[in-house]
Amino acid sequence: MARVSDIYGSMVFNEHTMQERLPSATYKQLMKTINDGEPMDLEVANIVAHAMKEWAIEKGATHFTHWFQPLTGITSEKHDSFLDPCPDGRAIMSFSGKELIKGESDASSFPSGGLRATFEARGYTAWDPTSYAFIKDEVLCIPTAFCSYTGEALDKKTPLLRSMKALEEQANRVLALFGEPHRHVVATVGAEQEYFLISEKDYERRLDLVLTGRTLFGYAPCKGQEMEDHYFGAIRPTVNEFMKELDDELWKLGVSARTKHNEVAPAQHELAPIFAVANRAIDENLLTMEKMRLLASHYGLVCLQHEKPFAGINGSGKHNNWSVSADGRNLLDPGANPAENLRFLVMLTCVIQAVDDYQELLRVTVASAGNDHRLGAHEAPPAIVSMFLGDELGGIVDALIADCEYGGCAHESMDLGVDVIPSFMKDTSDRNRTSPFAFTGNKFEFRMPGSAMNLSDANTVINTAVAKSLSEFADALEGVPAEDFEREARRYIKGVLCAHQRIIFNGDGYSEEWPVEAARRGLANHRTTADALPSLVQPKSIELFEQFGVLSETEVRSRYEVELEKYNKVMNVECRVMKRLVRRDYLPAINKFAAEIARHIAEVRAVLPDADQSYQEARLRRLLEGAHVINEQLDKLTELHRAANELEDQQERANMNAYEIVPVMDALRQAVDQMEVTVGRECWPVPTYNDILFYC
Ligand code: ADP
Ligand code: MG
């Protein structure tokens, strides 16, 4: 077996390869573009393209593609071969700087939220040199941004890159006040990806999973996650083989997959990489998701990345670990004495302010039909955004607000009472698993994103909102004489913390009291996507994006349209699948089983007219009643679904989906699930939760 260090990054045109393959002047020029954002001229691009092509062909590539992230959130690619036929009948392989820098594609089939009419179909992809090109399945993939003919961003990457620039600029203003000017500041992200693995055989028989990614029906399994025996449990051999191949493939792509383990729910797992610069980390996460889906088939498995594939057991999230680093140093590292670490306190304060001020916008970034089933479901953070700081930082913040000396936090060592076990220092705070935005030692962990999401939206908002609070700090402190700086900075911090104290909550986010307390504090609680999305187009949000050049008003509005439409389309498909399954699978199965029982009763009666068949008769009645309730709910759903589809206004339709259709879908599901446990196994048309979740 190859050593990890030999294969790691072997399919990536990374800095090491660039240095090896490019003339040194070109390499330096490219680095200036990557690190300092300097524009690149065509001559340099031509040299880079040539080197990239030679490298890719050596690795077996035949095609190239501009790899981008349209507003669907997933990745898109269109393969072009390097082939260039010559007049004499031969062919050479070519790839020019122009082809590297810019691609033109028909953008009309990607969502644009009204930014582009079908007759103005031209769209452009533009190379993002800050994320490495890589080879996947014999195709050289070039990460790109995607925009319309008129220059509006039509993708997830462009605003993310713009937000990173804003963060860098504002952080540098603040760092300059600390005597540390001109740093290379980046947002760093580590995305923990949760997913389910189930057998292909079961999957194929569940049209709901195939078409919607989640089970629209299914009674709770006899055994759920209550034994707590799956979390961190020994990994089953097939899954282990899958994970090993996944690691290998990811390592080749330079994705630093690090941690893998079984998650809480049966058949649920997690993969966490080592964090990277935000835009690269998000590209890596998308690659990871793709590899998971593709490689699962090698093992007769299917990888489910939906936020809630199974009702009643945990859904899947994607924790977004976020920090800021300046020339490689983590600005959220509290150091040994955080109370005295003014630069850290400023950063912390600015993040607190950003999360409080833009809590609704953060909520928007995690709103989707799938995540609606997860947020607030006693397994994931509630739909209310709040922050957890832990004992030590919480104590420091309290002391700053109360204007008193921070008494310090005991750094205790852990003694297990067993001499052979080395003693170690305890963390200064315990974990809080219920907080949506938790400080975890030297980074924040945003836990609301769902497993299927592209993390660009969340990080775009975090970066931009933090850029804003940093800019306000800089505005207030620039010009203050050096000798007054510390005092003024502390005063500023105190003011901001007092104003934003409400966002800090160290208690149990799953408790029933919290939504009540949160309402008292004036925190927003947008339960569904339909409630959350309008915040995107509030003047406050548009101003933020425009102030930092992250999105224009037109771009923001188009994104709102796209997200609304996406939500409504998902709901529409789910309704259709539900209706189809009930009519064509569930009702016929129930009727067939009922007829079997009726026949059985009649047959017994023919032989033994006075036999007691009350139990069979009761069962038959239950089946008939069940079918009746199902029919009733089906009619209701059909009626509402038709009415929803007639609504022109997408927000109205979303509201109808969230508040009228979802409850009927739930009732219909419940009625069918009730029958699942009444109808004989042989007659039930699909594999049940028991079958799907507990396989070998
Ligand atoms: P846990 O399950 O306790 O949250 P994990 O080890 O699964 O912890 O995940 C933590 C994630 O946070 C990893 O992806 C890790 O690389 C990432 N991380 C660590 N430090 C930083 C940082 N400074 N910026 C961003 N992400 C970070
Ligand atoms: Mg985590």
Side-chain angles (χ1 to χ4, degrees):
M1 210 173 57
R3 284 216 326 240
V4 177
S5 52
D6 292 340
I7 60 167
Y8 190 82
S10 60
M11 293 306 209
V12 186
F13 198 70
N14 53 22
E15 237 174 273
H16 176 75
T17 312
M18 289 175 197
Q19 196 164 16
E20 220 174 54
R21 299 252 170 180
L22 293 171
S24 93
T26 315
Y27 171 74
K28 281 195 193 122
Q29 208 49 47
L30 180 58
M31 282 302 130
K32 279 198 181 139
T33 302
I34 294 176
N35 294 329
D36 310 329
E38 269 190 26
M40 182 186 297
D41 63 40
L42 192 59
E43 211 172 302
V44 173
N46 275 327
I47 303 172
V48 176
H50 178 76
M52 249 189 209
K53 179 202 71 183
E54 292 295 307
W55 169 80
I57 291 174
E58 276 169 37
K59 300 266 178 192
T62 53
H63 289 67
F64 71 93
T65 183
H66 276 197
W67 191 72
F68 60 104
Q69 301 163 33
L71 296 178
T72 50
I74 52 176
T75 56
S76 293
E77 48 192 77
K78 177 187 74 164
H79 305 170
D80 283 309
S81 77
F82 292 123
L83 202 71
D84 194 1
C86 307
D88 64 1
R90 289 174 312 134
I92 53 164
M93 302 293 253
S94 82
F95 182 51
S96 68
K98 253 197 198 141
E99 288 170 302
L100 168 64
I101 292 179
K102 187 189 96 178
E104 196 208 315
S105 69
D106 180 350
S108 58
S109 294
F110 294 106
S112 76
L115 270 184
R116 180 221 53 232
T118 4
F119 58 90
E120 296 164 338
R122 230 186 257 273
Y124 293 108
T125 47
W127 178 33
D128 164 20
T130 62
S131 192
Y132 300 136
F134 55 90
I135 298 168
K136 181 168 73 75
D137 303 321
E138 295 166 9
V139 178
L140 170 66
C141 300
I142 299 144
T144 52
F146 180 48
C147 65
S148 72
Y149 183 63
T150 43
E152 279 103 358
L154 285 178
D155 68 346
K156 302 271 182 188
K157 190 190 260 283
T158 307
L160 175 74
L161 292 173
R162 292 174 182 161
S163 74
M164 290 175 66
K165 184 163 162 253
L167 182 69
E168 175 164 36
E169 279 169 7
Q170 301 309 324
N172 261 313
R173 287 179 65 197
V174 172
L175 289 174
L177 294 171
F178 284 93
E180 305 170 24
H182 312 303
R183 300 292 142 127
H184 181 45
V185 177
V186 290
T188 51
V189 166
E192 299 165 50
Q193 178 72 44
E194 289 181 343
Y195 60 99
F196 280 84
L197 284 176
I198 66 166
S199 113
E200 223 162 35
K201 285 200 199 69
D202 290 335
Y203 176 80
E204 282 162 2
R205 293 181 56 211
R206 295 283 316 213
L207 199 66
D208 47 0
L209 275 177
V210 174
L211 294 180
T212 73
R214 73 180 184 107
T215 51
L216 299 172
F217 300 95
Y219 199 87
C222 300
K223 175 186 168 199
Q225 58 197 42
E226 66 274 30
M227 310 291 283
E228 297 170 339
D229 53 355
H230 194 255
Y231 191 55
F232 286 9
I235 299 170
R236 23 163 111 80
T238 353
V239 171
N240 212 7
E241 287 305 309
F242 159 81
M243 286 177 168
K244 274 195 223 161
E245 188 179 352
L246 180 62
D247 277 345
D248 279 352
E249 288 299 304
L250 290 177
W251 290 336
K252 283 184 203 162
L253 289 168
V255 178
S256 51
R258 177 159 195 263
T259 311
K260 48 187 182 183
H261 62 80
N262 285 352
E263 256 303 328
V264 172
Q268 191 187 28
H269 312 279
E270 178 183 303
L271 182 146
I274 295 172
F275 69 96
V277 174
N279 67 319
R280 169 82 186 144
I282 291 166
D283 286 354
E284 289 182 4
N285 175 251
L286 292 165
L287 272 176
T288 303
M289 292 171 74
E290 179 180 319
K291 283 289 169 201
M292 280 177 173
R293 290 191 301 268
L294 296 178
L295 296 180
S297 68
H298 294 179
Y299 304 90
L301 299 169
V302 172
C303 175
L304 306 178
Q305 293 169 346
H306 191 281
E307 279 83 6
K308 192 78 177 177
F310 303 99
I313 60 168
N314 276 9
S316 298
K318 176 150 50 197
H319 294 174
N320 185 78
N321 295 274
W322 178 92
S323 190
V324 185
S325 115
D327 285 351
R329 203 184 37 187
N330 184 355
L331 296 183
L332 282 175
D333 186 347
N337 192 356
E340 296 307 314
N341 187 345
L342 189 57
R343 203 194 52 218
F344 166 74
L345 292 177
V346 170
M347 272 311 289
L348 179 73
T349 303
C350 287
V351 179
I352 293 171
Q353 179 184 8
V355 174
D356 187 28
D357 275 342
Y358 294 98
Q359 46 178 286
E360 290 177 275
L361 205 44
L362 275 172
R363 171 70 182 91
V364 172
T365 68
V366 296
S368 75
N371 219 17
D372 277 1
H373 299 284
R374 186 178 151 261
L375 295 180
H378 285 271
E379 59 176 83
I384 308 159
V385 177
S386 69
M387 298 174 89
F388 170 80
L389 298 181
D391 294 342
E392 184 169 30
L393 290 192
I396 293 171
V397 166
D398 289 346
L400 281 167
I401 290 173
D403 240 347
C404 59
E405 188 83 351
Y406 173 61
C409 182
H411 288 258
E412 287 172 41
S413 93
M414 183 74 100
D415 180 8
L416 291 175
V418 181
D419 290 342
V420 293
I421 297 180
S423 67
F424 54 88
M425 295 305 283
K426 258 167 72 163
D427 287 305
T428 51
S429 80
D430 198 0
R431 285 165 177 263
N432 178 323
R433 285 277 171 201
T434 66
S435 175
F437 212 103
F439 187 77
T440 46
N442 57 4
K443 62 188 189 304
F444 275 100
E445 185 173 356
F446 184 36
R447 301 200 179 110
M448 290 169 99
S451 51
M453 285 175 174
N454 180 315
L455 289 177
S456 299
D457 292 347
N459 288 295
T460 299
V461 168
I462 301 174
N463 294 342
T464 315
V466 172
K468 177 152 196 271
S469 30
L470 290 169
S471 80
E472 287 176 9
F473 177 83
D475 288 346
L477 273 291
E478 277 165 358
V480 169
E483 62 273 22
D484 299 337
F485 177 71
E486 171 148 8
R487 198 190 61 233
E488 287 305 310
R490 283 190 179 266
R491 192 156 67 197
Y492 180 92
I493 290 174
K494 181 188 167 177
V496 172
L497 289 176
C498 284
H500 296 283
Q501 225 175 338
R502 63 171 186 170
I503 198 77
I504 299 167
F505 175 62
N506 289 335
D508 179 4
Y510 297 174
S511 71
E512 276 168 27
E513 296 82 44
W514 172 229
V516 182
E517 162 68 9
R520 199 192 54 74
R521 294 186 185 193
L523 297 177
N525 184 3
H526 296 305
R527 278 187 206 87
T528 71
T529 300
D531 305 313
L533 289 179
S535 306
L536 184 57
V537 286
Q538 274 177 2
K540 184 179 168 183
S541 312
I542 294 173
E543 275 159 29
L544 173 75
F545 288 130
E546 289 208 311
Q547 183 185 347
F548 293 96
V550 170
L551 288 168
S552 67
E553 173 161 0
T554 324
E555 287 169 330
V556 177
R557 293 198 181 277
S558 77
R559 270 149 219 264
Y560 166 65
E561 290 297 324
V562 168
E563 289 306 319
L564 268 181
E565 271 182 35
K566 203 192 293 176
Y567 173 74
N568 288 330
K569 283 178 182 164
V570 170
M571 295 306 297
N572 184 38
V573 172
E574 290 193 352
C575 276
R576 280 198 198 138
V577 175
M578 267 198 133
K579 289 178 352 192
R580 189 79 55 93
L581 285 177
V582 168
R583 289 202 185 105
R584 300 200 53 196
D585 290 319
Y586 294 120
L587 280 175
I590 297 162
N591 290 338
K592 191 169 161 211
F593 188 62
E596 215 173 86
I597 295 192
R599 229 176 1 256
H600 177 87
I601 295 174
E603 280 167 11
V604 172
R605 187 159 298 145
V607 184
L608 291 173
D610 56 349
D612 178 6
Q613 297 208 70
S614 54
Y615 126 82
Q616 285 290 56
E617 283 165 11
R619 190 167 184 184
L620 181 56
R621 259 181 234 291
R622 229 176 17 248
L623 288 164
L624 297 177
E625 270 160 30
H628 184 74
V629 177
I630 291 172
N631 258 310
E632 242 173 37
Q633 296 302 331
L634 179 63
D635 287 348
K636 261 196 216 166
L637 185 63
T638 308
E639 182 52 36
L640 286 172
H641 186 205
R642 197 189 47 72
N645 280 339
E646 276 171 10
L647 290 176
E648 282 290 318
D649 185 284
Q650 294 286 332
Q651 180 68 53
E652 273 177 38
R653 197 191 287 196
N655 295 347
M656 181 159 183
N657 275 318
Y659 287 98
E660 295 180 56
I661 294 196
V662 166
V664 179
M665 286 170 76
D666 288 346
L668 177 58
R669 173 189 186 131
Q670 211 188 354
V672 172
D673 291 355
Q674 214 57 50
M675 288 298 97
E676 181 191 307
V677 285
T678 311
V679 170
R681 181 186 245 285
E682 298 291 300
C683 284
W684 200 245
V686 298
T688 66
Y689 277 21
N690 278 337
D691 306 319
I692 299 174
L693 291 169
F694 300 90
Y695 60 93
C696 297

